[in-house]
Amino acid sequence: AMDGPGPSSSPAGIVTAKFNQRLQVLLDRAAPWIVPRWVSFVALVGLYVLRVWLLRGFYIVTYGLGIYNLNLVLGFLTPQFDLEQEGPVLPTSDGEFKPFVRRLPEFKFWWSATKSIMLGFCMTFFSVFDVPVFWPILLLYWFVLFGVTMKRQIAHMIKYKYLPFSLGKKKYPGKVVAKDSK
């Protein structure tokens, strides 16, 4: 019983599979390069902002990008497991190391944010996405949304005593050696 051709047996399917395979190789190679990846992201955002500023339009696209990327930041700052719904936990000593596991890992955060900016950049080439809006209201609303969201997130971080960033290994003072006084 033959089920028919698979999705990758067509010429378009083969090209798509090869493209996805090459893209995955590039992403795998880029994974350890955290700082260069984020520098390239900032440069991409700069190009996008420059294009929007020169065109004096596409504010609704920019607003959508802002909301989407705010959601990504929230996922990056949030623990993977909901601390309010976890239920009873075994007692631990206060000094026990508990690693912070993110809901959205750094690499996925970077890749999703990068794809969103590239999509937004492509959208600026099509006038259908240039919806006329009064951009100061959108900007004000985004800042209000950002403030409320971050206030809630910081309150959650304080309540459950976690920091989403590692400040490196804790340094302990070494043994103090008294100098001989002769």
Side-chain angles (χ1 to χ4, degrees):
M2 198 158 167
D3 290 334
S8 64
S9 64
S10 70
I14 292 170
V15 169
T16 302
K18 282 189 176 207
F19 173 78
N20 288 336
Q21 186 178 25
R22 288 181 181 168
L23 178 62
Q24 190 59 52
V25 168
L26 288 173
L27 291 174
D28 290 343
R29 286 182 182 166
W33 302 95
I34 296 170
V35 172
R37 280 192 284 115
W38 284 102
V39 167
S40 68
F41 173 75
V42 168
L44 196 60
V45 169
L47 284 173
Y48 175 80
V49 168
L50 179 67
R51 178 153 175 82
V52 168
W53 183 72
L54 290 174
L55 293 174
R56 304 261 192 260
F58 296 95
Y59 302 121
I60 200 78
V61 172
T62 304
Y63 178 73
L65 284 174
I67 296 294
Y68 179 75
N69 284 300
L70 177 61
N71 188 39
L72 291 178
V73 168
L74 204 57
F76 181 70
L77 296 177
T78 306
Q80 183 175 14
F81 303 106
D82 188 4
L83 300 173
E84 294 172 343
Q85 310 254 335
E86 229 175 57
V89 293
L90 294 173
T92 60
S93 63
D94 286 338
E96 182 181 350
F97 174 71
K98 295 180 230 165
F100 182 79
V101 180
R102 301 174 190 287
R103 182 177 295 163
L104 180 64
E106 181 273 334
F107 185 81
K108 287 184 179 179
F109 174 36
W110 168 80
W111 182 232
S112 296
T114 300
K115 287 188 297 187
S116 74
I117 298 298
M118 290 189 297
L119 177 63
F121 193 83
C122 290
M123 290 172 80
T124 64
F125 289 97
F126 301 98
S127 61
V128 70
F129 297 113
D130 191 10
V131 179
V133 292
F134 187 59
W135 67 265
I137 295 295
L138 286 180
L139 187 63
L140 178 67
Y141 184 65
W142 187 87
F143 276 117
V144 168
L145 194 62
F146 178 81
V148 168
T149 304
M150 286 300 118
K151 180 180 176 188
R152 190 177 60 212
Q153 185 64 31
I154 290 169
H156 191 269
M157 290 164 56
I158 291 169
K159 180 178 178 181
Y160 292 102
K161 300 177 182 155
Y162 68 89
L163 266 180
F165 302 103
S166 173
L167 302 174
K169 191 174 178 179
K170 200 172 193 177
K171 304 266 192 245
Y172 296 98
K175 204 180 217 182
V176 178
V177 179
K179 292 183 178 180
D180 291 336
S181 53
K182 288 187 180 181

